[in-house]
Amino acid sequence: GSAARLQHVVMLATPGMGHLIPLAELAKRLASRHGVTTTLIAFASTASATQRAFLASLPPSVTSLHLPPVDLSHLPHGMAIETLMSEECARSVPALTEILTKLKETNRLVAFISDFFGVDSFDAASNAGVERRYLFIPTNLHLLTLLLHLPELDVSVPGEFRDLAEPLQLPGCAPIPGMDLLSPLQDKSNPSYRWMVHHASRFTEADAILVNSFDAVEPEVAAVLRQQKPGRPPVYNIGPLILTESKSTGGVNTAPPSLSRASCLDWLDRQPARSVIFVSFGSGGALPTEHMRELALGLELSGQRFLWVVRSPSDEGAVSDNYYDAESKKDPFVFLPEGFIERTKDVGFLVSSWAPQVDVLTHEATGGFLTHCGWNSTLESLVHGVPMVAWPLFAEQHQNAVMLSEGIGAAIRLPQPKSKEMIAGVVKELMAGEGKGAAVRTMVAKLQKDALEGLREGGAATAALAEVVEKWAAGES
Ligand code: UDP
């Protein structure tokens, strides 16, 4: 091998912007800080226009390609997204083996990094003789801990987790009520549950686990995982990896209409500092019709200024039919309560389907974020010092909400049932309250400092990634 060739890594991203964005940021950081180039591989069958546009917008140091499509038509109708991703991954091993083998001929391929629904791809890396295999967790140490324990919990908890009498207490983690655990764990008869156990059981095959979190937001579990433990790969907290320059990278912002983008930022320009609560449920979250109504009336009742990314409601589960595409299929505004738009026009601004979230959170008029607690949204909020109201919907969002509210105290979680009075009260408390609200605002200011500290030269996240990369160089000798 010629030592002159640049080090190269291959990453496999499972579908969803929440997976692609942090992996792409990791790739960019590897290039800018360490001169490492990347091939980012995505699945074809489950790829959306938004994802394709995003991949096409990446800098030259990050090449992207799609695996050949896989026929999933034999699967029963209505399979969970986790099942589809897992099936697609398992069936893509031969194609991926071929791709890795070819890449290895022309590149100094130092590592293969798989997203956490893609661990079957480790087989392809082994087949192709790639030396190191890493697992990437796009969320946090709480989720990683749960999954590391899942194979044993699968045996020790015979019934459904939601029927557990006590919250699940895992080492270093906030106690999580069974019904708040990762959504594919909620129904053991669903194939997606088996798939999660399967993936989790392969986590220990990784040479190391890279996590998109930072110690300050979950300090106790960070301390637990910092200890080396036989049989558990070393864990590196390399976050927060968040979308940095939304304007120049385009990507996620190319698909949605640029018109609403400019206008919501213009509107923010005219609002007082820290006066607006931003309301958004990620790239795929949709509320049931009833909740959407209560939210509208609650925002109105709060008297608070708000910027709301409105999506059409969904009464068949929290993931809308546009999980893969950011656009609402129908006009979402028709689902709002009668007269709401007119009555709130002086204090509220509505955006259909998609807003340039990072720009909104960066804006000084934004003082709060009512969020579904998707991990990217959470990190973006913390990095920009915006306190949160937690309204989780699916995936690991409920357990994120628990760790953020009951755990570290960076959010106020909306209690059940979600009435307009309750929503108004919590929103007001977050923005201006002297009790919980004040404590949360103080904690978020601290976490913002810690997050930025970690990303600096010599900071914890930077050092963790440098330590990983150093091993690649050593392997070359
Ligand atoms: N996002 C955005 N505008 C929107 C909705 C989402 O820019 O209107 C971005 C957001 O900034 C974040 C990502 O999409 O980077 C959503 O990821 P997250 O993990 O929060 O939630 P998911 O979409 O995976 O549920």
Side-chain angles (χ1 to χ4, degrees), residues 18 21 282-283 309 353-355 357 372 374-377 380 397:
I21 290 171
S283 56
V309 185
S353 301
W354 191 266
Q357 180 166 307
H372 72 318
W375 191 243
N376 292 286
S377 294
E380 288 161 8
Q397 294 153 15

Side-chain angles (χ1 to χ4, degrees), residues 320-336:
S320 68
D321 56 0
N322 46 42
Y323 179 70
Y324 288 122
D325 271 304
E327 297 287 329
S328 269
K329 301 281 184 288
K330 308 174 204 105
D331 174 7
F333 296 149
V334 303
F335 298 95
L336 293 166

